[in-house]
Protein backbone atom coordinates (compact mmCIF):
# COMPACT_ATOMS: atom_id res chain seq x y z
CA UNK A 1 0.00 0.00 0.00
CA UNK A 2 2.89 2.37 0.72
CA UNK A 3 4.08 2.03 -2.87
CA UNK A 4 0.66 2.87 -4.25
CA UNK A 5 0.37 5.95 -2.07
CA UNK A 6 3.75 7.12 -3.35
CA UNK A 7 2.53 6.69 -6.93
CA UNK A 8 -0.65 8.61 -6.14
CA UNK A 9 1.38 11.38 -4.53
CA UNK A 10 3.64 11.71 -7.56
CA UNK A 11 0.75 11.86 -10.03
CA UNK A 12 -1.28 14.32 -7.95
CA UNK A 13 1.67 16.67 -7.49
CA UNK A 14 2.55 16.50 -11.20
CA UNK A 15 -1.01 17.55 -12.00
CA UNK A 16 -0.83 20.54 -9.67
CA UNK A 17 -2.15 19.33 -6.32
CA UNK A 18 -1.23 21.57 -3.42
CA UNK A 19 -1.34 20.70 0.27
CA UNK A 20 0.67 17.50 0.92
CA UNK A 21 -1.57 16.46 3.82
CA UNK A 22 -4.65 16.67 1.62
CA UNK A 23 -2.92 14.66 -1.09
CA UNK A 24 -2.09 11.90 1.42
CA UNK A 25 -5.61 11.88 2.87
CA UNK A 26 -7.21 11.70 -0.56
CA UNK A 27 -4.95 8.84 -1.61
CA UNK A 28 -5.84 6.94 1.55
CA UNK A 29 -9.55 7.56 0.88
CA UNK A 30 -9.24 6.18 -2.63
CA UNK A 31 -7.35 3.11 -1.44
CA UNK A 32 -10.11 2.36 1.05
CA UNK A 33 -12.60 2.40 -1.79
CA UNK A 34 -10.45 0.04 -3.86
CA UNK A 35 -10.29 -2.33 -0.87
CA UNK A 36 -14.07 -2.66 -0.36
CA UNK A 37 -15.02 -6.24 0.52
CA UNK A 38 -17.47 -6.73 -2.36
CA UNK A 39 -14.67 -6.29 -4.90
CA UNK A 40 -12.98 -9.39 -6.28
CA UNK A 41 -11.47 -8.14 -9.53
CA UNK A 42 -11.83 -4.36 -9.22
CA UNK A 43 -9.28 -4.24 -6.42
CA UNK A 44 -5.97 -2.54 -5.73
CA UNK A 45 -4.34 -5.33 -7.78
CA UNK A 46 -6.25 -4.12 -10.85
CA UNK A 47 -5.30 -0.52 -10.05
CA UNK A 48 -1.62 -1.43 -9.68
CA UNK A 49 -1.66 -3.41 -12.94
CA UNK A 50 -3.17 -0.44 -14.76
CA UNK A 51 -0.57 1.93 -13.34
CA UNK A 52 2.19 -0.45 -14.47
CA UNK A 53 0.93 -0.31 -18.06
CA UNK A 54 0.54 3.46 -17.91
CA UNK A 55 4.06 3.88 -16.58
CA UNK A 56 5.47 1.60 -19.28
CA UNK A 57 3.76 3.46 -22.11
CA UNK A 58 3.63 6.95 -20.62
CA UNK A 59 5.51 8.36 -23.60
CA UNK A 60 2.47 7.71 -25.81
CA UNK A 61 0.31 10.16 -23.82
CA UNK A 62 0.28 13.94 -23.72
CA UNK A 63 -0.58 14.10 -20.00
CA UNK A 64 0.36 10.79 -18.39
CA UNK A 65 -0.09 12.35 -14.94
CA UNK A 66 -3.77 12.91 -15.70
CA UNK A 67 -4.08 9.38 -17.11
CA UNK A 68 -2.70 8.07 -13.82
CA UNK A 69 -5.21 10.12 -11.82
CA UNK A 70 -8.00 8.81 -14.05
CA UNK A 71 -6.85 5.26 -13.35
CA UNK A 72 -7.07 5.92 -9.63
CA UNK A 73 -10.57 7.37 -9.97
CA UNK A 74 -12.12 5.27 -12.73
CA UNK A 75 -13.48 2.49 -10.48
CA UNK A 76 -13.40 4.43 -7.23
CA UNK A 77 -17.18 3.98 -7.13
CA UNK A 78 -17.98 0.35 -7.90
CA UNK A 79 -21.38 -1.10 -7.11
CA UNK A 80 -22.18 -4.27 -9.07
CA UNK A 81 -25.88 -3.59 -8.51
CA UNK A 82 -25.71 -0.25 -10.33
CA UNK A 83 -27.20 -0.11 -13.81
CA UNK A 84 -25.74 1.16 -17.07
CA UNK A 85 -22.85 3.58 -16.70
CA UNK A 86 -23.86 4.67 -13.20
CA UNK A 87 -20.53 3.60 -11.67
CA UNK A 88 -18.51 5.51 -14.26
CA UNK A 89 -20.63 8.63 -13.86
CA UNK A 90 -20.41 8.46 -10.08
CA UNK A 91 -16.65 7.85 -10.27
CA UNK A 92 -16.28 10.89 -12.54
CA UNK A 93 -18.29 12.99 -10.08
CA UNK A 94 -16.10 11.77 -7.23
CA UNK A 95 -12.98 12.64 -9.24
CA UNK A 96 -14.37 16.14 -9.74
CA UNK A 97 -14.93 16.58 -6.00
CA UNK A 98 -11.62 15.10 -4.87
CA UNK A 99 -9.37 16.79 -7.43
CA UNK A 100 -11.08 20.14 -7.02
CA UNK A 101 -10.52 19.83 -3.29
CA UNK A 102 -6.83 19.23 -3.97
CA UNK A 103 -6.64 22.49 -5.93
CA UNK A 104 -6.13 21.10 -9.45
CA UNK A 105 -6.96 23.60 -12.20
CA UNK A 106 -10.50 23.19 -13.62
CA UNK A 107 -9.19 22.13 -17.04
CA UNK A 108 -7.20 19.26 -15.50
CA UNK A 109 -10.17 18.18 -13.40
CA UNK A 110 -12.41 18.19 -16.47
CA UNK A 111 -9.91 16.09 -18.41
CA UNK A 112 -9.70 13.46 -15.67
CA UNK A 113 -13.50 13.30 -15.59
CA UNK A 114 -13.60 12.87 -19.37
CA UNK A 115 -11.08 10.04 -19.18
CA UNK A 116 -12.98 8.27 -16.41
CA UNK A 117 -16.18 8.38 -18.46
CA UNK A 118 -14.39 6.73 -21.40
CA UNK A 119 -14.07 3.53 -19.39
CA UNK A 120 -17.84 3.00 -19.59
CA UNK A 121 -17.62 1.77 -23.18
CA UNK A 122 -13.92 1.99 -24.06
CA UNK A 123 -14.74 3.71 -27.35
CA UNK A 124 -11.79 6.02 -27.97
CA UNK A 125 -11.10 8.36 -30.87
CA UNK A 126 -7.93 7.50 -32.75
CA UNK A 127 -6.53 10.96 -31.98
CA UNK A 128 -7.11 10.62 -28.23
CA UNK A 129 -3.71 9.47 -26.97
CA UNK A 130 -4.56 9.87 -23.29
CA UNK A 131 -7.85 8.02 -23.63
CA UNK A 132 -6.10 5.27 -25.57
CA UNK A 133 -3.54 4.73 -22.82
CA UNK A 134 -6.16 4.63 -20.06
CA UNK A 135 -8.49 2.25 -21.90
CA UNK A 136 -5.69 -0.01 -23.12
CA UNK A 137 -4.45 -0.29 -19.54
CA UNK A 138 -7.96 -1.01 -18.28
CA UNK A 139 -8.44 -3.82 -20.80
CA UNK A 140 -4.98 -5.35 -20.43
CA UNK A 141 -6.35 -8.34 -18.52
CA UNK A 142 -8.26 -9.48 -21.60
CA UNK A 143 -4.95 -10.43 -23.22
CA UNK A 144 -3.71 -12.42 -20.23
CA UNK A 145 -2.82 -16.09 -20.38
CA UNK A 146 -5.90 -18.35 -20.41
CA UNK A 147 -5.55 -19.35 -16.72
CA UNK A 148 -5.18 -15.72 -15.64
CA UNK A 149 -8.09 -14.68 -17.83
CA UNK A 150 -10.22 -17.43 -16.31
CA UNK A 151 -9.38 -16.17 -12.82
CA UNK A 152 -10.43 -12.68 -13.92
CA UNK A 153 -13.73 -13.99 -15.33
CA UNK A 154 -14.39 -15.95 -12.13
CA UNK A 155 -13.69 -12.85 -10.03
CA UNK A 156 -16.19 -10.85 -12.08
CA UNK A 157 -18.78 -13.57 -11.51
CA UNK A 158 -18.19 -13.34 -7.75
CA UNK A 159 -18.80 -9.60 -7.90
CA UNK A 160 -22.15 -10.36 -9.51
CA UNK A 161 -23.04 -13.23 -7.20
CA UNK A 162 -26.45 -11.62 -6.60
CA UNK A 163 -27.40 -12.08 -10.29
CA UNK A 164 -29.10 -15.38 -11.22
CA UNK A 165 -27.04 -17.52 -13.58
CA UNK A 166 -29.24 -17.12 -16.71
CA UNK A 167 -29.34 -13.35 -16.30
CA UNK A 168 -25.61 -13.19 -15.66
CA UNK A 169 -24.82 -15.22 -18.74
CA UNK A 170 -26.97 -12.97 -20.91
CA UNK A 171 -25.53 -9.76 -19.47
CA UNK A 172 -21.94 -10.92 -19.55
CA UNK A 173 -22.39 -12.12 -23.14
CA UNK A 174 -23.56 -8.63 -24.13
CA UNK A 175 -20.47 -7.09 -22.54
CA UNK A 176 -18.12 -9.50 -24.30
CA UNK A 177 -19.85 -9.06 -27.65
CA UNK A 178 -19.55 -5.29 -27.25
CA UNK A 179 -15.82 -5.57 -26.64
CA UNK A 180 -15.37 -7.83 -29.64
CA UNK A 181 -17.31 -5.33 -31.77
CA UNK A 182 -15.01 -2.40 -30.95
CA UNK A 183 -13.19 -1.16 -34.07
CA UNK A 184 -9.94 -1.48 -32.10
CA UNK A 185 -9.76 -3.29 -28.80
CA UNK A 186 -6.34 -1.70 -28.22
CA UNK A 187 -5.15 1.57 -29.74
CA UNK A 188 -1.47 1.90 -28.87
CA UNK A 189 0.25 0.16 -31.82
CA UNK A 190 2.68 -1.90 -29.76
CA UNK A 191 -0.13 -3.14 -27.53
CA UNK A 192 -2.52 -3.74 -30.40
CA UNK A 193 0.05 -5.89 -32.15
CA UNK A 194 0.77 -7.96 -29.06
CA UNK A 195 -2.58 -8.12 -27.26
CA UNK A 196 -5.37 -8.10 -29.84
CA UNK A 197 -5.18 -11.76 -30.87
CA UNK A 198 -4.95 -13.29 -27.37
CA UNK A 199 -7.68 -10.94 -26.12
CA UNK A 200 -10.03 -11.89 -28.95
CA UNK A 201 -9.26 -15.55 -28.30
CA UNK A 202 -10.07 -15.22 -24.59
CA UNK A 203 -13.24 -13.21 -25.19
CA UNK A 204 -14.50 -15.61 -27.83
CA UNK A 205 -13.76 -18.61 -25.63
CA UNK A 206 -15.69 -17.16 -22.68
CA UNK A 207 -18.53 -16.06 -24.93
CA UNK A 208 -18.81 -19.58 -26.35
CA UNK A 209 -19.10 -20.99 -22.82
CA UNK A 210 -21.79 -18.47 -21.89
CA UNK A 211 -24.08 -19.05 -24.85
CA UNK A 212 -25.95 -22.24 -25.75
Amino acid sequence: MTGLIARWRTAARAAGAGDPASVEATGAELLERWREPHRHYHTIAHLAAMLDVIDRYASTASRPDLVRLAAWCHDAVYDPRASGDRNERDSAALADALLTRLGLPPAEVAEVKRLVLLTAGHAVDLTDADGALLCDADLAVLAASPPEYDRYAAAIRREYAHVPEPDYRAGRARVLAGLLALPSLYRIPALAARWTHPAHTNLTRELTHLTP
Side-chain angles (χ1 to χ4, degrees):
M1 188 172 72
T2 302
L4 279 175
I5 284 289
R7 296 171 85 169
W8 159 260
R9 185 189 307 123
T10 299
R13 289 179 176 173
D19 177 50
S22 295
V23 170
E24 297 295 313
T26 302
E29 178 182 340
L30 285 168
L31 277 183
E32 285 304 306
R33 289 178 172 275
W34 283 92
R35 296 172 65 194
E36 291 166 337
H38 64 270
R39 297 171 183 250
H40 298 279
Y41 170 70
H42 294 88
T43 65
I44 56 174
H46 170 52
L47 171 61
M50 280 188 70
L51 292 173
D52 288 345
V53 174
I54 293 167
D55 287 350
R56 197 172 303 123
Y57 294 92
S59 63
T60 67
S62 59
R63 288 296 303 271
D65 54 324
L66 300 186
V67 178
R68 292 182 180 100
L69 294 183
W72 274 89
C73 295
H74 84 289
D75 281 327
V77 177
Y78 185 70
D79 177 5
R81 296 177 184 270
S83 60
D85 63 353
R86 180 81 258 172
N87 283 323
E88 289 83 5
R89 288 187 285 120
D90 287 349
S91 293
L94 179 66
D96 189 341
L98 294 180
L99 300 180
T100 298
R101 186 175 73 193
L102 290 180
L104 266 67
E108 274 74 357
V109 174
E111 174 63 1
V112 172
K113 288 176 59 182
R114 183 190 73 82
L115 291 169
V116 169
L117 290 171
L118 285 178
T119 63
H122 299 93
V124 181
D125 188 275
L126 291 176
T127 63
D128 184 0
D130 291 349
L133 179 56
L134 179 68
C135 288
D136 283 8
D138 194 25
L139 298 180
V141 68
L142 303 183
S145 67
E148 183 179 350
Y149 181 91
D150 290 346
R151 287 191 291 272
Y152 146 76
I156 294 293
R157 183 65 182 104
R158 288 197 298 277
E159 291 181 342
Y160 286 87
H162 60 282
V163 179
E165 185 67 15
D167 295 338
Y168 179 79
R169 285 175 171 267
R172 179 68 175 167
R174 285 194 297 271
V175 170
L176 301 183
L179 290 168
L180 285 166
L182 286 172
S184 299
L185 192 56
Y186 301 106
R187 294 86 179 172
I188 295 171
L191 297 181
R194 190 162 81 246
W195 287 356
T196 299
H197 178 70
H200 279 189
T201 300
N202 283 328
L203 290 167
T204 302
R205 179 168 56 86
E206 185 185 358
L207 186 59
T208 299
H209 291 159
L210 290 170
T211 55

